Amino acid sequence: MDDTLPDSVESRRVETDRLTTNVLVSGDPDGTPLCLVHGNVSSSRFWAGLMADLPDDYWVLAPDLRGYGDSETKPVDATRGVQDYTEDLAALFAEVGVEAVALVGWSIGGGIAMQYAIDYPETLTELVLVSTMSPYGFGGTTRDGTPCQPDYAGTGGGLADDEFVERLAEGDVTAEADASPRSVMHAFYVGPDHEFASETADAYVEAMCATAVGDGNYPGDAVPSDNWPEVAPGERGVLNAISPKYFDASGLATIEPQPPVLWVRGDADQIVSDTSFFDAGYLGQIGELPDWPGDDVYPPQPMNDQTRDVLKAYAANGGSYSEETFTNVGHSPHIERPEQFRSVLLEFLGS
């Protein structure tokens, strides 16, 4: 049990025919359902502060995805994109009696939320994307989603930092190296101006280290490639599930019915941006990956431009969306600016 959880937030286990899911819960069970989906190498614990500050007339659910936090570890079939996750969510909602829900997805959770909207649009009341990955997957595409390499080289499990993966598997909670989970959290999960309270930072790092590590989960397997940067996605695990080889949520633009969409991001995000430090094209451009073939072959992925293009198409087809950009904020607006995020979220849900 996490003794650092706010008093108004509790942890429950929910059994479905797909997964034993750990879920953080707050608010009134008879209130308006709101589900918060966490990002990669994290867990529901990253939502607990927000949950404690939301009005009691919401029933807030924050599940740990498979292989994360305290949920059951089951492998991810990357050839299905993120549909292992969306089907887990659908099973969870059915088990707890949720027929319609406002869905909030952060980072990779945003990709899962977009895919859920495609698969189950009739169940969504609102869709909120927080620092979301691109609808065209993570890495390796030009603005219209065209792959830079025919085998999608430069995306998937082979792009993970080996030392980070090793330290994550060992449960390293120190900051002794740049690749320690705590160091990565401070450097990339938030902007340069954010400082964590020590107890909260400890809880977040422990949540990161609860990530299941291996070919079936994080980061996933990889195969060699003749194309730069000489590694291509395998068929298992989370980073392959979000490779554009298997993930394409651009169909969000044409779903029916069309829930209103809110997109919240930070302008100092280093993970999801048009110049992402986790994108092979950008790393090649700045000299961090050798032998980069150049912008004509492998440009940085314009992640935010791609998201904006799909949301504009969504609006052109009759839907509505709004974009909120937080200044001097990194990858975690709900953690870095909790009051501002809460205000924006509640105003959107209330409208």
Side-chain angles (χ1 to χ4, degrees), residues 108-122:
I108 286 178
I112 294 168
M114 286 187 280
Q115 185 64 56
Y116 188 92
I118 293 169
D119 295 342
Y120 309 98
E122 68 284 352

Side-chain angles (χ1 to χ4, degrees), residues 128-139:
V128 182
L129 306 173
V130 184
S131 304
T132 183
M133 59 176 282
S134 164
Y136 292 111
F138 202 98

Side-chain angles (χ1 to χ4, degrees), residues 243-262:
S243 162
K245 182 174 183 178
Y246 307 117
F247 179 88
D248 181 356
S250 60
L252 177 71
T254 58
I255 65 170
E256 289 287 347
Q258 297 173 302
V261 179
L262 170 65

